[in-house]
Amino acid sequence: MLVGARLLIFTRAGLILQAVRDDQNRARYLGFDVTAYQTFFFAVSAAIAGFAGMLYVVVSEFASPTFMDLTFSITMVVWAAVGGRSSILGACIGAIIINVLSATVSETEGFAEAWKAIIGLIFVLVVLYLPRGIAGLAHDFVDRIVTRKSAASSHPLRVSDPSSQLAE
């Protein structure tokens, strides 16, 4: 699903979706049917969610109406916020981090009652201090490294022999 979503993002429809995300009115003025693209991608995301739900039931061998609880939906929002809303891989990493953290904290004796509050606190802190999530933080870190390497490699040419023709 991750690879398929990445491939879909790099198509023309994916580029139009990014334009719609950035500025709906501009995309509409450029002649794109914004509601049609939004409906299409909503249907694609619903298909992915349905497939994921089917796999979840197959793996857990149990289905219950409590799976449609608000808590389960809010957990997915926390996954996306912590990992990064603008990155598909970031949202997956956020899901892994939050699930490991909630499993660890909920099984600890001192935090057994307050583990949802701890996850909520993490969500609030990420939204306030890391609005692009962990993926945004990683992206900024990689940009700094690339900028430092390009600045270090672009030193001016030094001439060691002043009598050479290049020095003139």
Side-chain angles (χ1 to χ4, degrees):
M1 282 297 148
L2 181 63
V3 171
R6 275 305 259 186
L7 291 175
L8 186 60
I9 295 286
F10 289 123
T11 63
R12 183 175 187 262
L15 292 174
I16 294 170
L17 177 70
Q18 292 173 21
V20 168
R21 177 198 63 201
D22 293 340
D23 192 354
Q24 284 187 9
N25 290 330
R26 183 182 302 161
R28 189 172 286 116
Y29 291 141
L30 289 173
F32 298 112
D33 188 3
V34 171
T35 55
Y37 282 99
Q38 287 176 330
T39 304
F40 170 73
F41 279 101
F42 183 77
V44 169
S45 66
I48 292 170
F51 185 69
M54 181 208 54
L55 290 177
Y56 183 79
V57 169
V58 168
V59 168
S60 67
E61 296 178 356
F62 178 70
S64 170
T66 59
F67 290 159
M68 293 187 288
D69 189 20
L70 184 63
T71 307
F72 203 60
S73 299
I74 291 173
T75 304
M76 291 180 207
V77 172
V78 173
W79 293 345
V82 168
R85 294 179 306 250
S86 62
S87 169
I88 295 171
L89 184 60
C92 292
I93 291 170
I96 292 169
I97 290 171
I98 291 297
N99 281 336
V100 167
L101 190 65
S102 64
T104 304
V105 171
S106 67
E107 292 175 2
T108 306
E109 260 186 60
F111 300 116
E113 296 295 322
W115 70 272
K116 288 184 182 181
I118 293 170
I119 299 297
L121 179 66
I122 291 170
F123 173 70
V124 169
L125 291 175
V126 165
V127 168
L128 287 176
Y129 297 110
L130 293 173
R132 292 178 16 203
I134 294 172
L137 185 67
H139 189 269
D140 291 344
F141 181 71
V142 168
D143 283 346
R144 280 192 197 136
I145 290 174
V146 169
T147 304
R148 284 183 187 166
K149 284 186 179 181
S150 65
S153 66
S154 64
H155 290 297
L157 180 64
R158 295 182 186 172
V159 178
S160 60
D161 185 14
S163 64
S164 74
Q165 293 178 352
L166 292 174
E168 296 175 1

